[in-house]
Amino acid sequence: LYNNTSETGFVRKKDLRDIWMSFTSLKSIYNIKVNLRFYSRHGILPFAYFGMFLRYLYFVGGFVKHSVLKRQRREAASDL
C-alpha cells in the first residue's frame, strides 16, 4: 500500500516543527482550529474542551515519550 505523504499530510514527527505543522495543517487530524470548532458545536462546553485538551496531551506526550526512548537507545548503542 503506497501512501503519498505530499497529498495526505502524514509526516513522521521528528522535531517540534513537525508537531507545530500538525497543529496548523488543514490535512492533519490534530488541526486546532478545526477541532475547536467541532468540539464547540458538538460537545457540552466545559467537558468538550477537557476532552480536546486530553487529545492534544496524549499526542504531545507520545512525541516526548518516543523522543526520549530514541535518545536512550542511541546512548545505549554508543556505549556498546
Side-chain angles (χ1 to χ4, degrees), residues 33-48:
K33 189 175 180 181
V34 172
N35 283 333
L36 188 63
R37 188 179 321 137
F38 177 82
Y39 280 93
S40 296
R41 287 183 184 174
H42 298 287
I44 300 170
L45 287 183
F47 303 113

Side-chain angles (χ1 to χ4, degrees), residues 11-20 59 63 66-67 70-71 74:
V11 178
R12 292 220 181 250
K13 310 301 184 267
K14 294 179 253 180
D15 57 1
L16 291 177
R17 186 176 345 130
D18 292 337
I19 297 291
W20 181 253
F59 179 67
F63 168 74
H66 288 290
S67 64
K70 284 181 189 176
R71 184 178 306 133
R74 272 190 245 133

Side-chain angles (χ1 to χ4, degrees), residues 16-72:
L16 291 177
R17 186 176 345 130
D18 292 337
I19 297 291
W20 181 253
M21 289 301 295
S22 67
F23 288 157
T24 58
S25 172
L26 289 177
K27 297 177 183 178
S28 174
I29 62 171
Y30 292 104
N31 186 319
I32 292 175
K33 189 175 180 181
V34 172
N35 283 333
L36 188 63
R37 188 179 321 137
F38 177 82
Y39 280 93
S40 296
R41 287 183 184 174
H42 298 287
I44 300 170
L45 287 183
F47 303 113
Y49 293 137
F50 180 70
M52 188 174 157
F53 171 74
L54 286 179
R55 177 185 177 125
Y56 288 108
L57 181 68
Y58 292 151
F59 179 67
V60 174
F63 168 74
V64 171
K65 173 185 161 187
H66 288 290
S67 64
V68 167
L69 288 176
K70 284 181 189 176
R71 184 178 306 133
Q72 289 176 351

